[in-house]
Amino acid sequence: RDALLDIVRAVNATLEPPKIADLIVDRSSTWVPAPCWAVVCTDLSGQLSVIADRGLQPEMGPAVHAIGGWVMARGQEFVTNDLAHDTRVTDPAVGSVIAFPLSCRGRRIGALVALDREASTREPRLSAPMLRAVRVLLEPAAVALDNALLLKRAEALSLTDDLTHLYNSRFLNQVLRRETKRASRS
């Protein structure tokens, strides 16, 4: 109960997607021990991107994107003790992996990926009650992340023309106001 209240309060304290994703990584690292964590979502252009990470090395990037894409496409957890020998995604830079989908309103909005560079002798396994608890804890986090992402998309759409994707008069007015304030300060 306390963990649920903690995650709900933390992720609803901001409307910035990177901050929410960072809070998800922070809390998840206390539930499941792993040296590397990442939250993968689709950005405004529709491409997969890592919006928060902890301990992630640059050479792990392709594996994180591939795992995140797999989890988002299927909506299932991804667990393997040695990614180099896994037929779903292969990458020698990463050993063991556990990943969870971030689902909200009947759609998948992202993936939470935990990695270890070293392969494990046995498959990472969470007990059934722990797996249920992680799913319950990630649900409000996914809702908060989805709300923040939708707000950012709406803000971006309010500043550009849908057809031409050029900035509109609202953007021009915002820039002019900001630059007028800056000019008056200096």
Side-chain angles (χ1 to χ4, degrees), residues 7 9 16 19 21 27 32 45 55 58 64 71 82 100-101 103 106 110-111 116 127-129 134 144 161 165 183 186:
I7 190 76
R9 286 181 182 139
E16 295 297 322
K19 289 182 182 177
R27 296 314 192 270
V32 178
S45 66
V64 170
V71 169
D82 190 359
F100 302 95
S103 299
D116 191 344
S127 66
V134 169
D161 180 70
H165 299 287
S186 56

Side-chain angles (χ1 to χ4, degrees), residues 34-36 60 93-97 114-119:
C36 304
M60 297 173 152
V94 177
S96 55
V97 176
L115 308 124
D116 191 344
R117 292 180 63 101
E118 301 299 320

Side-chain angles (χ1 to χ4, degrees), residues 18-101:
K19 289 182 182 177
I20 293 171
D22 193 48
L23 288 165
I24 293 170
V25 166
D26 182 53
R27 296 314 192 270
S28 300
S29 65
T30 64
W31 309 329
V32 178
C36 304
W37 286 89
V39 173
V40 180
C41 290
T42 53
D43 59 16
L44 292 175
S45 66
Q47 299 293 319
L48 279 180
S49 65
V50 175
I51 61 171
D53 69 86
R54 178 160 301 135
L56 193 65
Q57 303 299 319
E59 63 272 8
M60 297 173 152
V64 170
H65 282 87
I67 294 162
W70 189 96
V71 169
M72 288 178 66
R74 289 166 182 79
Q76 301 170 357
E77 284 89 13
F78 185 102
V79 179
T80 185
N81 63 325
D82 190 359
L83 193 60
H85 295 101
D86 196 300
T87 58
R88 297 172 290 180
V89 177
T90 56
D91 192 315
V94 177
S96 55
V97 176
I98 186 166
F100 302 95

Side-chain angles (χ1 to χ4, degrees), residues 96-140:
S96 55
V97 176
I98 186 166
F100 302 95
L102 297 173
S103 299
C104 172
R105 299 177 186 105
R107 60 190 175 82
R108 293 173 289 277
I109 60 156
L112 174 65
V113 183
L115 308 124
D116 191 344
R117 292 180 63 101
E118 301 299 320
S120 177
T121 55
R122 56 189 173 96
E123 188 171 289
R125 188 171 279 269
L126 297 177
S127 66
M130 180 63 176
L131 189 57
R132 275 193 307 275
V134 169
R135 287 177 184 152
V136 166
L137 291 169
L138 287 177
E139 189 174 333

